[in-house]
Every structure is written in structure tokens, then in C-alpha cells.
């Protein structure tokens, strides 16, 4: 068994590296865009953009991630846009992540006392200075738990990408099981890798803000 595990180890390590890279990219895309959209809707006086973003968020939170992935991957091929498995994964899970992170940041922004905005404006702060100096330092600690909880879920969610042949941890696990008929061994390796990847995020998320 040890020799078998050792033979597959390079592929598992490569799969773990790809899982981390995809998760980090999705986390960055969804976090930055979700934050930008939350700030933009807070500033707008028109109800139409808010309703459109709420509809977008509701749609992508309601539809299963696998359906979104298949829609992006096979839908793209249908219209002649071949994103490839990794590109489709980034787009699909990026859209879902934006839908969730938008809600996380919107809620955190609503928790900042209105008086903080008024005080910043009274001091003559422009919009950029108001948000970077006054609002974001208060808002981000509030959002941290929800944001990182979704990020941790993203690491596990990337396993769905094996359905479109992305060589992440579960894809290699299924290949190893099919080739060797040793499910317990390779599922144990997969579990150990997921724990190793997620444990630092869990530890950071449990720290006091």
C-alpha cells in the first residue's frame, strides 16, 4: 500500500496545488467584485441597480454550482466559446462566489453606523478617503467570518470541477481508485489533503478580529 501511495503522490500533490490555485483565484475574484458591487449599490440613489444585483445574487445562490458549471462549460461550447475546463470553473464559481460575497459585504456595510459616514463627510473626506480610512476598517472585520467561511467552502466546492475533467484532488482520486481498486487508501489521501489545505483558513477564521 505504501508503494502504491508513493507512486501516486506526485499527481496528488499537483492536484492539491491546482485546487489551491483555483480556490485562491475564485476567492480573489469573488471577494473583490462582491466588495465593489456592495460599495457601488450603497452609493447609488437609484433602486434599479440594486434590484438588478439582488436578482443576480438570488439567481446564482439558488442554482446548484454543478448546473452553473455545466451551463458555462457546455453553453460556451454551444456558442463557439471554448473556455476550457479551468476557464469554465473560474467563471462559474466566480459568478456564484460574487453572488454570495455581495451579500456578505452588503450586510457588513449596513452594520457600519450611519454616523460614521456623516462624521467622515463633516471632516471633508472625499468618497475614496471616506471608504478607505473610515468605512472599510470597520466593515471588513464584520465581514471576515462570512467571507472566509465561504472561501473555505470554495476549496471543497472545487471538487465539483472534476465533472468537467479539471485535475483537482477528487479527479485524481477517482482516477487512482479506478486504476488500483484501492478506494480506502486514496480517499484517505484526499481527506488528508483537504484537511491540510483548509486547516490554516479555519484557524485564521477562529482568531479574534
Amino acid at each position: 500500500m505504501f508503494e502504491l501511495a508513493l507512486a501516486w503522490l506526485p499527481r496528488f500533490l499537483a492536484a492539491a496545488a491546482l485546487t489551491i490555485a483555483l480556490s485562491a483565484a475564485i476567492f480573489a475574484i469573488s471577494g473583490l467584485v462582491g466588495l465593489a458591487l456592495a460599495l457601488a449599490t450603497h452609493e447609488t440613489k437609484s433602486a434599479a441597480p440594486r434590484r438588478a444585483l439582488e436578482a443576480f445574487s438570488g439567481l446564482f445562490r439558488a442554482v446548484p454550482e454543478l448546473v452553473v458549471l455545466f451551463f458555462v462549460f457546455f453553453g460556451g461550447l454551444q456558442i463557439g466559446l471554448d473556455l476550457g475546463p479551468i476557464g469554465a470553473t473560474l467563471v462559474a464559481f466566480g459568478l456564484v462566489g460574487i453572488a454570495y460575497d455581495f451579500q456578505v459585504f452588503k450586510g457588513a456595510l449596513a452594520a457600519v453606523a450611519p454616523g460614521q459616514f456623516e462624521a467622515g463627510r463633516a471632516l471633508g473626506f472625499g468618497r475614496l478617503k471616506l471608504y478607505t480610512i473610515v468605512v472599510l476598517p470597520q466593515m471588513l472585520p464584520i465581514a471576515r467570518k462570512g467571507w472566509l467561511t465561504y472561501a473555505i467552502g470554495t476549496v471543497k466546492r472545487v471538487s465539483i470541477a472534476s465533472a468537467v475533467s479539471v485535475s483537482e484532488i477528487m479527479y485524481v482520486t477517482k482516477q487512482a481508485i479506478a486504476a488500483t481498486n484501492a478506494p480506502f487508501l486514496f480517499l484517505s489521501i484526499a481527506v488528508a489533503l483537504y484537511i491540510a489545505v483548509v486547516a490554516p483558513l479555519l484557524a485564521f477564521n477562529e482568531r479574534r478580529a
Side-chain angles (χ1 to χ4, degrees):
M1 283 292 184
F2 178 76
E3 292 80 6
L4 201 57
L6 202 59
W8 280 85
L9 187 58
R11 294 188 65 181
F12 271 99
L13 292 178
L18 180 59
T19 298
I20 293 169
L22 284 173
S23 300
I26 294 163
F27 177 66
I29 292 166
S30 63
L32 290 172
V33 177
L35 175 60
L37 292 177
L39 295 176
T41 54
H42 186 265
E43 284 293 309
T44 184
K45 293 181 172 62
S46 172
R50 283 199 210 77
R51 288 180 187 144
L53 280 172
E54 289 293 346
F56 161 83
S57 178
L59 171 66
F60 282 99
R61 285 183 294 129
V63 178
E65 288 92 342
L66 181 60
V67 175
V68 178
L69 178 60
F70 280 168
F71 186 84
V72 171
F73 183 73
F74 294 111
L77 291 176
Q78 192 75 23
I79 62 172
L81 181 61
D82 185 3
L83 296 172
I86 290 178
T89 298
L90 289 173
V91 172
F93 293 145
L95 289 170
V96 175
I98 290 165
Y100 278 94
D101 283 346
F102 167 68
Q103 295 295 334
V104 169
F105 290 121
K106 187 184 76 168
L109 189 56
V112 178
Q116 297 295 313
F117 293 90
E118 294 165 10
R121 293 188 183 102
L123 290 169
F125 290 172
R127 188 174 297 174
L128 179 62
K129 194 173 182 180
L130 172 66
Y131 277 95
T132 54
I133 294 178
V134 178
V135 178
L136 288 178
Q138 298 180 65
M139 172 189 171
L140 292 180
I142 298 169
R144 191 190 75 178
K145 283 275 186 185
W147 188 25
L148 285 178
T149 297
Y150 189 78
I152 291 164
T154 297
V155 175
K156 298 180 288 183
R157 207 169 286 112
V158 166
S159 65
I160 298 171
S162 64
V164 291
S165 301
V166 174
S167 296
E168 46 69 59
I169 293 171
M170 279 311 299
Y171 184 80
V172 173
T173 301
K174 288 188 284 188
Q175 284 188 322
I177 292 170
T180 64
N181 196 28
F184 182 77
L185 171 64
F186 291 111
L187 285 171
S188 298
I189 292 173
V191 168
L193 287 172
Y194 279 119
I195 290 172
V197 171
V198 169
L201 287 172
L202 285 171
F204 181 75
N205 205 21
E206 290 305 313
R207 289 175 54 194
R208 286 182 174 272

